[in-house]
Amino acid sequence: MLTKRIIPCLDVRDGRVVKGVNFQGIQDVDSPVELAKFYNQSGADELVFYDITASVENRPLFTDILRQVASQIFIPLTVGGSINTLEDFDRVLKCGADKVSVNSGAIKNPALIEQAAKRYGDQCVVLSMDIKRVDGKFHLFAKGGRVDTGIDALEWAVRGAEHGAGEMVVNSIDTDGVKNGFDLEMLEKIASRVDVPIIASGGAGKMEDFYQLFQVPGMDAGLAASIFHFKEVDIRELKRYLVKKGIPMRV
């Protein structure tokens, strides 16, 4: 049985890791390099690095900080932020990323997913989705959760998988930072439609939330930020707890 993954997320703005609630009220947390070192030593299975304002500011991702982060870790690194072209994929991979997360860039140009998968392999292409309920439907949001595209998120997930995304980060804006648990309803709906690994994001507040998450078929990983950043949950303790509950983990 494949082991489940625990993945901390570094949301980087102006060279610092930040965190908010429902994508609002952003607060400074720490240096991304120092946090990356900490997670590398703390039992994290992978690390995600998002330059969260690159897309909305129409600028390239901060590659200097990314290089520093990549140099400190020996676990897989997924990187996203203003990934709009194959050249952006290339630049980020050369800075030390193992996988590239594409969100707004794929919404603007859906062919980017297939082009990148053909050049770098499906395993390198991560489709990231920021999803929020609008009038009872799941809408896909762009520009760091700021813009409602009106696109049906469930249909978008299917398209992404069909065009070569090897993995998906599914982030619920409704539960982001609230710490009342993952958005299981939304995750179940997406998992029932695609057969690629799903990384669930948004809502983790305690160890039990990860156990509930891994009861949902198709969930491969749980991603969280503030509960790990502020030492509210220790990753090694979380993994030991999950193993006792019968969830396969790398410990």
Side-chain angles (χ1 to χ4, degrees):
M1 184 181 288
L2 285 175
T3 56
K4 305 298 186 181
R5 293 170 288 155
I6 303 298
I7 305 176
C9 180
L10 306 181
D11 290 320
V12 179
R13 183 177 74 173
D14 299 329
R16 298 283 294 178
V17 175
V18 296
K19 192 66 191 106
V21 176
N22 302 128
F23 284 34
Q24 305 291 318
I26 303 295
Q27 297 178 340
D28 182 83
V29 177
D30 203 343
S31 148
V33 179
E34 291 307 310
L35 269 181
K37 275 193 215 173
F38 170 72
Y39 288 128
N40 188 64
Q41 298 162 356
S42 299
D45 294 298
E46 299 186 13
L47 189 64
V48 168
F49 176 112
Y50 285 138
D51 185 340
I52 61 170
T53 55
S55 283
V56 75
E57 292 171 4
N58 292 313
R59 60 164 173 79
L61 183 140
F62 289 127
T63 50
D64 52 343
I65 296 166
L66 173 56
R67 280 195 189 91
Q68 292 176 55
V69 166
S71 73
Q72 298 297 327
I73 65 174
F74 301 96
I75 53 178
L77 175 63
T78 297
V79 176
S82 200
I83 305 296
N84 297 301
T85 64
L86 289 179
E87 289 70 28
D88 293 329
F89 268 81
D90 204 50
R91 189 177 71 255
V92 168
L93 291 168
K94 284 176 176 170
C95 286
D98 298 283
K99 295 183 272 190
V100 182
S101 172
V102 61
N103 187 336
S104 296
I107 295 169
K108 285 186 288 188
N109 175 22
L112 179 61
I113 302 169
E114 191 167 2
Q115 292 165 356
K118 282 180 178 171
R119 180 176 291 188
Y120 302 108
D122 293 10
Q123 80 290 339
C124 181
V125 183
V126 179
L127 179 61
S128 180
M129 293 178 284
D130 293 323
I131 303 172
K132 184 177 174 66
R133 288 168 179 77
V134 178
D135 298 328
K137 294 189 175 179
F138 294 105
H139 280 206
L140 184 70
F141 277 63
K143 301 288 185 183
R146 294 171 176 82
V147 177
D148 182 358
T149 66
I151 295 170
D152 183 301
L154 305 181
E155 292 176 3
W156 178 246
V158 172
R159 284 179 65 192
E162 288 174 349
H163 285 85
E167 196 167 60
M168 293 183 182
V169 175
V170 181
N171 188 48
S172 169
I173 297 175
D174 294 316
T175 62
D176 180 77
V178 178
K179 300 185 181 180
N180 283 334
F182 291 96
D183 194 333
L184 301 181
E185 179 198 11
M186 179 192 76
L187 292 165
E188 285 173 351
K189 287 183 183 297
I190 288 180
S192 69
R193 288 165 169 80
V194 302
D195 59 0
V196 299
I198 293 174
I199 299 169
S201 171
K206 56 189 182 300
M207 291 196 284
E208 290 79 7
D209 294 333
F210 288 88
Y211 175 66
Q212 293 297 328
L213 170 70
F214 291 131
Q215 301 308 296
V216 178
M219 294 300 113
D220 285 79
L223 181 147
S226 57
I227 61 166
F228 297 145
H229 297 343
F230 299 123
K231 317 293 194 290
E232 294 165 27
V233 171
D234 177 87
I235 291 175
R236 283 203 171 89
E237 284 183 18
L238 170 60
K239 290 173 129 184
R240 285 194 286 266
Y241 160 81
L242 290 169
V243 167
K244 284 181 183 173
K245 288 282 198 176
I247 307 297
M249 307 295 303
R250 183 180 65 83
V251 293

